[in-house]
Amino acid sequence: MELHEGLCVMGEYLYGLDVGDCFVFEDLLSQGILQDQNKIEWLCARASQAFGMGAAHWSIDDFPDDTFMPLFRLKKPEFHAMYDALSFESFPTKLPNRSRVTPEECFLVWLRRMASRGTIFEVGTQTFSACPTRCSHMFNTFSSHLHDTWSERSLSIGIPMERAAEYADAIKNTSGTGMDNCICFLDTKALECSRPGGYLDQMSVYNGYYGYHCLRWQSTWCPDGMSYDFYGPVEGRRSDNYLLDASSFVDRFMGYHRRLGYPVCAYADAGYWCSTYVQTGFRSSLGERPPGSRNDIYSRFMNKCRTSVEWGFGLIGQNFPYCTIPAYARLGSTPLALHYRNAVFMTNCLTTLRGNITSKFFDCQPPSLGDYLTYVA
């Protein structure tokens, strides 16, 4: 085998590892593919120089201020605040491919990958001038660490009851309906995914109402723009009420009732069962809200406020579009739940730093980043 053919065989290792750490070299030498160690080192240096893909390191200072926000969806002060608050002391410094990295590098790769609609090859070569394989390892390692450390726990902590009265007042004042015990809004999201291979898998995730294959999520959004109660995913064929029952949502609100001494509720669309803890608007199809009646005015005003649920889901897709592209949502090969939970958690963190359209609409300030992470922990 010629020397350039040997380079093709071990190309993905050349760009991501130092010569001394690359165990592939010994295999190639033993097979007689490459005989001269000096020639190997020279070839690695030339490849790194030609393609700009050496095992180099980068930091936030390598990116200009005017391009940092479009690339990473964060301003530099926000990045520093989030990086310090999340505390990556337990983050592994060596990747599965034996390449050494820093948490800051992996955080930047994760942010860029989640904010990009392109492939990992485009992210690695165009943004970081790094090996795409190395960037892929960094992205996957950081995603798993963030999920296990923060995201998984943050989405099941429940609504903070010490702010229940503040949430109820914000919704009451904004809607003008006099409803004084509603503290959040409830809805589901059908996240489109690629068509699975097996017939049974296709039937389970296909949703006839939307007309595509998807996974479904349920979330509550509070007036401060935060999502504290996030459940999923489940098969796309499931209904809203199935998620309501499977998530034990009503049981949690019964616990809030016992803790506060009075019932609080979430407002949802008319597709849900109306109960003490889940209130819905009146149905015009059943003649429950004649035009101009009190029922009609109540439903219109509350439904206008309920639109904040769509704003919340929209922020996730706006900040981290990687999670919303069906071509990347491949069942069985991509950890869809892990990536989407991370996106929701990071959207909450962004909301604590800058607010969002929901918090401004209800004039309800979100907690600080430190208070939110303390509540999660």
Side-chain angles (χ1 to χ4, degrees):
M1 182 180 292
E2 296 293 333
L3 190 61
H4 69 277
E5 294 177 344
L7 173 61
C8 295
V9 173
M10 60 180 185
E12 64 176 315
Y13 300 98
L14 289 178
Y15 306 143
L17 295 177
D18 296 332
V19 174
D21 293 335
C22 189
F23 61 91
V24 178
F25 290 150
E26 285 73 15
D27 295 337
L28 296 175
L29 286 170
S30 64
Q31 297 174 18
I33 298 176
L34 299 175
Q35 292 85 14
D36 189 352
Q37 182 69 26
N38 293 330
K39 188 176 293 186
I40 295 174
E41 295 177 357
W42 175 83
L43 192 57
C44 291
R46 288 296 301 273
S48 177
Q49 182 180 6
F51 297 99
M53 295 180 183
H57 298 278
W58 54 83
S59 67
I60 186 176
D61 298 328
D62 297 330
F63 301 93
D65 295 342
D66 56 343
T67 61
F68 193 82
M69 179 69 176
L71 287 175
F72 303 101
R73 298 296 194 269
L74 289 175
K75 299 178 181 178
K76 286 190 175 181
E78 295 173 339
F79 178 88
H80 287 301
M82 198 174 296
Y83 182 81
D84 295 338
L86 293 177
S87 180
F88 296 107
E89 296 178 355
S90 61
F91 187 82
T93 59
K94 183 176 285 190
L95 299 177
N97 67 345
R98 304 178 66 185
S99 177
R100 293 189 178 277
V101 296
T102 63
E104 182 179 351
E105 291 176 322
C106 294
F107 194 13
L108 289 170
V109 170
W110 185 88
L111 286 171
R112 180 57 188 145
R113 182 71 181 106
M114 295 292 288
S116 172
R117 296 180 178 272
T119 63
I120 190 66
F121 180 84
E122 296 172 348
V123 170
T125 58
Q126 297 178 9
T127 305
F128 301 103
S129 297
C131 172
T133 302
R134 183 168 180 249
C135 289
S136 179
H137 283 302
M138 296 170 73
F139 174 73
N140 292 332
T141 301
F142 187 88
S143 296
S144 299
H145 179 81
L146 183 65
H147 180 267
D148 297 340
T149 307
W150 293 104
S151 303
E152 186 176 22
R153 183 170 63 251
S154 69
L155 302 181
S156 59
I157 54 178
I159 301 173
M161 285 298 99
E162 57 270 15
R163 300 194 65 185
E166 180 183 356
Y167 290 160
D169 289 341
I171 295 176
K172 176 183 177 181
N173 296 333
T174 303
S175 65
T177 60
M179 189 175 186
D180 58 359
N181 69 331
C182 178
I183 62 174
C184 63
F185 298 94
L186 173 69
D187 204 357
T188 60
K189 173 68 173 179
L191 197 65
E192 186 177 0
C193 62
S194 297
R195 185 179 65 179
Y199 173 76
L200 294 179
D201 293 336
Q202 292 184 26
M203 293 297 294
S204 64
V205 300
Y206 184 79
N207 188 289
Y209 179 80
Y210 295 106
Y212 51 73
H213 300 83
C214 62
L215 297 177
R216 304 205 67 182
W217 300 81
Q218 175 184 277
S219 178
T220 58
W221 295 89
C222 295
D224 59 357
M226 302 288 287
S227 177
Y228 296 100
D229 194 323
F230 209 90
Y231 177 77
V234 300
E235 303 91 334
R237 64 187 178 91
R238 300 295 187 178
S239 66
D240 293 350
N241 288 303
Y242 175 88
L243 273 79
L244 184 68
D245 183 63
S247 63
S248 302
F249 181 85
V250 174
D251 294 338
R252 284 193 294 279
F253 269 68
M254 291 176 65
Y256 300 156
H257 186 175
R258 291 189 295 268
R259 178 178 174 181
L260 296 173
Y262 60 88
V264 292
C265 70
Y267 187 85
D269 61 46
Y272 284 90
W273 297 319
C274 187
S275 66
T276 303
Y277 306 108
V278 179
Q279 293 291 308
T280 65
F282 294 95
R283 297 170 175 82
S284 58
S285 60
L286 301 179
E288 297 176 345
R289 43 178 294 189
S293 63
R294 295 182 60 183
N295 291 353
D296 182 56
I297 296 174
Y298 166 83
S299 299
R300 285 193 290 109
F301 284 8
M302 288 301 296
N303 288 339
K304 181 180 179 181
C305 294
R306 193 187 62 80
T307 309
S308 59
V309 173
E310 308 302 334
W311 299 340
F313 284 119
L315 281 175
I316 300 173
Q318 178 181 344
N319 293 325
F320 307 107
Y322 172 76
C323 297
T324 63
I325 301 176
Y328 298 148
R330 298 181 293 270
L331 294 178
S333 62
T334 305
L336 307 180
L338 181 145
H339 292 324
Y340 202 65
R341 290 191 187 112
N342 285 342
V344 176
F345 170 70
M346 293 301 293
T347 300
N348 279 342
C349 292
L350 284 175
T351 299
T352 63
L353 295 174
R354 64 174 73 149
N356 59 29
I357 184 174
T358 301
S359 62
K360 296 174 182 177
F361 179 76
F362 289 101
D363 193 19
C364 184
Q365 293 299 316
S368 65
L369 180 60
D371 293 341
Y372 172 61
L373 295 181
T374 300
Y375 181 64
V376 171

